[in-house]
Amino acid sequence: MPIRFHEQSRTFHLFNDQISCLMKVLPGGQLGQLYCGKVLHDRPDFDHLFECRPRPMLVCYFEEDEAYSLEHCKQEYPTYGVGDMHLPALDARTPAGSRLLDLRYQGYAILPGKPPLQGLPATYVEEDGEADTLRIDLADPDAGVQVSLYYTVFRDFAAIARHAEIGYAGPGTLELDCAMSLCLDLPDADYEMIELTGAWARERHVVRRPLAEGVQGVYSLRGCSSHHFNPFLALVRPECREQTGEALGFSLVYSGNFAARADVDPYHVTRVTLGIHPQHFCWPLAAGETFVTPEAVLVYSDAGLNGMSQTFHRLYRTRLARGYWRDRVRPILLNNWEATYFAFTQEKLLNLAGQARQLGVELFVLDDGWFANRNSDRGGLGDWEIDREKLPGGLAGFGQALNEIGMQFGLWMEPEMVSDDSRLWAEHPDWVLGLPGRRPHPGRHQYLLDMGNPAVVEYLYRRLESLLDGVPVTYIKWDMNRSISDAWSRSTEAARQGTVLHRYILGVYALYDRLTKRFPQILFESCASGGARFDPGMLFYAPQCWTSDDTDAVERLSIQYGTSMVYPISSMGAHVSAVPNHQLNRVTPLATRAAVALFGTFGYELDLTKLPEAEKQAIREQITFAKAWRQVVQFGTFWRLQSPFDGGDTAWMAVAPDGSSALVGVYRVLQQVNAGFRRVRLAGLDPVRLYRVTGPDGAVSRHYGDELMQVGLVTSDGSCGENKTGEGDFTAWLYQLEAEKA
Ligand code: GLA
């Protein structure tokens, strides 16, 4: 994947066989943006793409050049105050009080592979041949500010990873108020913006709207990436659909406050910025210090939204997620949360686990409530003392008992939190976030530890290490159940309080890093009241995430469909739970609940001991089915076929990497009568192979891949008529495809 610098035209061209990014050193020395999109033939100059015209009301850069204004140059890392009038990528205040920064080109370097980002999650390569990285150095020498922009172009992905490093040479201290990870000036605004939005229990719904003049975007000021908005947006051409059309996806590898914006000016230039939200952020830089922004990943697709998502999936599954579990099929688990909540005894848990084992479950997850003073969500966090009444043999004893019945042991924890009745708070009041003399504000009756304080991270590491040492734990669910408020650190001087929220996240990453290194074979699943931290940053440490506290099959269609815009199926925790559903009382068939959860890391979250024999038998069969298909679902290619947001049936499928098999799920929320005929056009199959299709009723038919993709799978059912099939609302159909041997 070449990175070329054309000396004469001072143009950088980064490209692989799918994507091109063109940048040019402008007449004033600023770094300009010429193009970002589908791969272009290289040539020595693309100067015709640099457009500047004399317009009224310009602030000119040179006395004698009425056309060259930073307002109209498309730039890579713009600042405010020397001509550009838009939201900047960088904003900082020098000790002299000036924010007037003018970053000019100094030089570049091409680095083999991809250097890691110190202390931050980021995509990586396993061999240098997989990527090249361009570093472009800019500076405002008068202000002492240096900026290095990093661009990695991958060999195998239509993606470019970016971040910036801001250095300061002095004198005194620079106050860095805004340092975006990515800025991209696109020459037009003929796009629609896709964002993932929602709230607790309805995370990551897909919202799409045309761009208009002004600023549009999403953000989080909750200290976590949030249920409400995901650190992602896509700009797509209006004709872009799931299988066709152009899309640019922007994703931030970060778990804290973020801003993702598209700023359209009246000349229809669109500036995309993505990075840490500038609100509540101020990072003082002393002479010689450097600030490293999180990484942003840009993906280009000319194969529709599925093309964009599949690039994100492959990149994030294989070159962001890491470790022992990255490429391994995930165990089928039973989580006791919705089965027992806080009300359990060891006997009850072992009964549940024993029943689960008989049905084929592999991992038992002990959720919240195993530690002292935790019979409700009103206390107990921080000390992490085992509740000996509930677990007389401790975690080790309980783990052994599970192992004896052939079950692996998984454990819930919420390390970042503290309850006000804890010993930890009494002994270390300075470890709790909040202004001295003012009580911090509760959320779910709990408070936040100052994760930016290394002493807190050290305490948690030691505490958790000693808890886990010698205990046969193979899985941890790391929860985080409130938004951050009272972001004041008592171990931090007044002038540095603007660093607290970012340092909180760095502390979370540091703790994850130490624990995952210390226990490399433990499978971590991140969680934040369901999906409030379903973000790429977490995936670097925990290859899977609890997608949502909402386990209702119908709600999960929208949640999982939206989540799949960016995140791989192997990362999405999806469980079958009881009916009536605990979040909204809906009653859906067991088969439908399983057919939705199968497209995720599959598990159960209900009291199996209470089920009638017929349902236990059905679950036994579901688990056998899940085991047969999990390799394809978790490591194959996922295709969205029909969207729940379009009002009709939902459909999606997973195809084995070699195209030899596929699993299709079709879902109907409300049944119909005398409806139209139905076909679902499949995708990703080998057009010339003959597939044996086993339908939901076991009926077998054979079709070539091209027919299934062009004509579609005929899914007309009892609803096309008087509807006497007995199938009601909330029905799902699974189709299994196996290619016949040639
Ligand atoms: C959060 C999680 C749930 C469960 C509870 C326990 O809400 O998302 O899955 O673990 O906490 O308190």
Side-chain angles (χ1 to χ4, degrees):
M1 7 58 271
I3 295 178
R4 302 240 166 99
F5 181 58
H6 298 292
E7 295 271 352
Q8 206 122 54
S9 64
R10 303 223 283 177
T11 301
F12 293 96
H13 190 183
L14 283 78
F15 60 100
N16 61 22
D17 59 359
Q18 304 174 75
I19 188 169
S20 271
C21 182
L22 283 165
M23 292 167 289
K24 175 184 168 57
V25 181
L26 301 181
Q30 296 79 20
L31 186 64
Q33 156 63 223
L34 297 184
Y35 172 79
C36 188
K38 191 180 171 98
V39 60
L40 299 179
H41 285 287
D42 191 38
R43 53 185 280 179
D45 79 63
F46 289 87
D47 283 359
H48 53 285
L49 296 178
F50 167 61
E51 287 184 283
C52 255
R53 315 233 171 226
R55 289 185 193 267
M57 294 302 292
L58 285 189
V59 173
C60 298
Y61 193 74
F62 301 111
E63 187 69 47
E64 299 308 327
D65 184 347
E66 295 212 342
Y68 187 66
S69 164
L70 297 183
E71 179 177 359
H72 293 296
C73 296
K74 293 155 199 87
Q75 294 182 69
E76 278 296 291
Y77 213 65
T79 52
Y80 175 77
V82 288
D84 185 81
M85 303 290 170
H86 306 103
L87 293 172
L90 180 78
D91 185 19
R93 189 171 169 276
T94 66
S98 163
R99 294 180 178 279
L100 308 179
L101 297 175
D102 185 9
L103 298 174
R104 294 182 301 274
Y105 176 72
Q106 309 293 311
Y108 75 98
I110 295 176
L111 317 168
K114 184 173 192 296
L117 274 68
Q118 212 51 52
L120 280 164
T123 56
Y124 60 90
V125 294
E126 290 193 331
E127 292 163 15
D128 281 351
E130 292 178 19
D132 283 324
T133 299
L134 170 66
R135 193 192 74 221
I136 301 179
D137 298 321
L138 311 174
D140 182 334
D142 300 335
V145 175
Q146 302 123 9
V147 173
S148 293
L149 303 177
Y150 287 78
Y151 300 84
T152 297
V153 55
F154 297 91
R155 182 186 60 204
D156 302 327
F157 303 100
I160 288 175
R162 292 181 52 169
H163 78 280
E165 297 188 0
I166 323 300
Y168 184 56
T173 302
L174 182 82
E175 286 180 8
L176 187 60
D177 291 325
C178 168
M180 288 287 129
S181 300
L182 171 149
C183 175
L184 182 68
D185 280 351
L186 295 164
D188 69 88
D190 188 20
Y191 291 101
E192 294 181 358
M193 186 176 99
I194 295 180
E195 65 189 59
L196 301 175
T197 172
W200 174 82
R202 53 179 174 84
E203 297 92 332
R204 290 172 299 285
H205 284 210
V206 178
V207 171
R208 179 170 172 160
R209 55 181 140 130
L211 284 189
E213 283 91 342
V215 182
Q216 45 246 284
V218 292
Y219 67 94
S220 170
L221 288 175
R222 294 168 188 275
C224 56
S225 49
S226 88
H227 298 101
H228 303 73
F229 297 112
N230 201 254
F232 161 79
L233 58 84
L235 296 187
V236 306
R237 293 301 187 187
E239 63 280 7
C240 177
R241 295 289 172 270
E242 285 292 6
Q243 317 295 23
T244 54
E246 277 195 302
L248 279 169
F250 304 89
S251 165
L252 188 67
V253 186
Y254 190 57
S255 310
N257 284 356
F258 73 90
R261 300 176 296 212
D263 178 5
V264 179
D265 77 8
Y267 310 97
H268 298 154
V269 172
T270 304
R271 172 170 295 172
V272 180
T273 47
L274 184 60
I276 294 178
H277 203 299
Q279 184 78 34
H280 297 309
F281 174 82
C282 177
W283 197 274
L285 278 177
E289 288 184 344
T290 299
F291 179 77
V292 181
T293 73
E295 176 166 286
V297 176
L298 179 158
V299 163
Y300 168 77
S301 162
D302 63 354
L305 290 169
N306 272 310
M308 175 195 76
S309 300
Q310 288 163 5
T311 299
F312 275 125
H313 292 178
R314 264 193 320 120
L315 179 63
Y316 284 179
R317 182 165 56 71
T318 65
R319 292 293 181 270
L320 178 61
R322 301 175 296 168
Y324 179 84
W325 285 100
R326 186 188 74 179
D327 303 326
R328 287 183 160 79
V329 289
R330 307 297 161 67
I332 291 170
L333 64 83
L334 175 82
N335 180 306
N336 75 308
W337 179 239
E338 289 197 11
T340 65
Y341 295 103
F342 296 102
F344 57 80
T345 59
Q346 173 155 307
E347 193 190 351
K348 191 165 172 182
L349 296 179
L350 288 175
N351 258 338
L352 195 53
Q355 177 65 81
R357 185 65 208 132
Q358 279 177 26
L359 302 182
V361 172
E362 298 157 315
L363 165 71
F364 182 86
V365 179
L366 174 54
D367 210 281
D368 196 352
W370 52 266
F371 41 96
N373 192 17
R374 190 67 172 173
N375 292 314
S376 75
D377 62 11
R378 287 186 161 266
L381 298 169
D383 296 336
W384 305 110
E385 301 290 351
I386 295 154
D387 183 337
R388 295 274 166 181
E389 266 176 41
K390 284 181 181 163
L391 301 176
L395 292 176
F398 181 62
Q400 271 150 23
L402 285 175
N403 288 172
E404 275 160 26
I405 56 169
M407 192 67 104
Q408 297 166 45
F409 179 24
L411 191 66
W412 177 96
M413 59 189 201
E414 197 179 2
E416 301 153 58
M417 299 295 155
V418 62
S419 302
D420 55 2
D421 60 354
S422 61
R423 210 182 53 235
L424 184 67
W425 193 333
E427 284 172 10
H428 297 283
D430 53 322
W431 284 5
V432 181
L433 280 183
L435 273 175
R438 188 196 286 180
R439 196 178 158 76
H441 298 86
R444 207 197 191 200
H445 316 289
Q446 62 197 48
Y447 303 83
L448 293 135
L449 290 174
D450 178 7
M451 295 297 290
N453 180 348
V456 172
V457 173
E458 179 65 22
Y459 159 79
L460 289 171
Y461 176 73
R462 294 278 162 227
R463 190 76 204 97
L464 297 172
E465 183 191 41
S466 70
L467 263 181
L468 297 174
D469 206 18
V471 177
V473 164
T474 60
Y475 163 107
I476 284 177
K477 176 177 171 187
W478 177 324
D479 211 338
M480 192 280 193
N481 278 313
R482 60 161 294 176
S483 304
I484 301 183
S485 65
D486 303 273
W488 181 275
S489 161
R490 301 187 196 196
S491 64
T492 302
E493 60 191 272
R496 299 187 70 83
Q497 291 296 331
T499 66
V500 169
L501 285 165
H502 181 53
R503 286 197 295 118
Y504 180 100
I505 295 296
L506 294 179
V508 171
Y509 292 153
L511 183 58
Y512 254 116
D513 196 56
R514 290 178 73 180
L515 286 173
T516 49
K517 282 193 177 122
R518 172 71 177 78
F519 301 102
Q521 297 200 344
I522 290 184
L523 171 60
F524 279 80
E525 177 157 338
S526 68
C527 174
S529 285
R533 248 184 357 200
F534 206 126
D535 59 60
M538 284 288 119
L539 283 188
F540 190 63
Y541 305 97
Q544 58 191 61
C545 179
W546 182 225
T547 312
S548 174
D549 274 349
D550 195 336
T551 51
D552 172 70
V554 175
E555 293 296 305
R556 275 295 185 121
L557 290 175
S558 303
I559 295 168
Q560 292 176 207
Y561 197 94
T563 304
S564 81
M565 274 296 153
V566 186
Y567 303 99
I569 302 308
S570 58
S571 68
M572 278 190 229
H575 302 167
V576 174
S577 63
V579 290
N581 174 267
H582 290 196
Q583 290 76 44
L584 41 59
N585 282 317
R586 186 179 281 137
V587 177
T588 54
L590 179 59
T592 300
R593 283 173 269 153
V596 176
L598 273 167
F599 288 85
T601 54
F602 187 69
Y604 290 83
E605 182 136 356
L606 76 176
D607 189 347
L608 295 168
T609 63
K610 292 198 177 130
L611 298 182
E613 215 36 60
E615 291 208 339
K616 285 185 194 161
Q617 181 54 27
I619 286 178
R620 190 176 281 119
E621 288 163 19
Q622 287 169 0
I623 291 173
T624 306
F625 189 91
K627 286 177 180 167
W629 281 101
R630 65 181 152 180
Q631 180 74 37
V632 171
V633 168
Q634 292 169 14
F635 302 103
T637 306
F638 183 74
W639 293 85
R640 291 179 301 269
L641 303 174
Q642 294 177 187
S643 168
F645 301 102
D646 289 345
D649 292 353
T650 298
W652 54 42
M653 67 189 288
V655 185
D658 65 357
S660 64
S661 59
L663 183 65
V664 181
V666 181
Y667 310 88
R668 181 166 309 147
V669 175
L670 292 183
Q671 189 55 288
Q672 291 180 317
V673 66
N674 209 10
F677 298 103
R678 300 173 197 271
R679 287 175 186 175
V680 177
R681 288 176 75 177
L682 304 189
L685 301 173
D686 185 339
V688 299
R689 286 174 95 170
L690 186 63
Y691 287 89
R692 179 178 197 272
V693 180
T694 308
D697 51 0
V700 171
S701 57
R702 286 180 172 73
H703 311 274
Y704 284 99
D706 59 356
E707 182 197 317
L708 291 168
M709 294 190 290
Q710 293 306 318
V711 184
L713 188 67
V714 175
T715 55
S716 299
D717 64 330
S719 65
C720 305
E722 287 185 56
N723 205 353
K724 292 183 174 157
T725 57
E727 283 176 335
D729 297 340
F730 320 129
T731 304
W733 298 272
L734 293 174
Y735 296 84
Q736 303 173 70
L737 276 61
E738 300 282 353
E740 301 273 25
K741 298 269 174 306

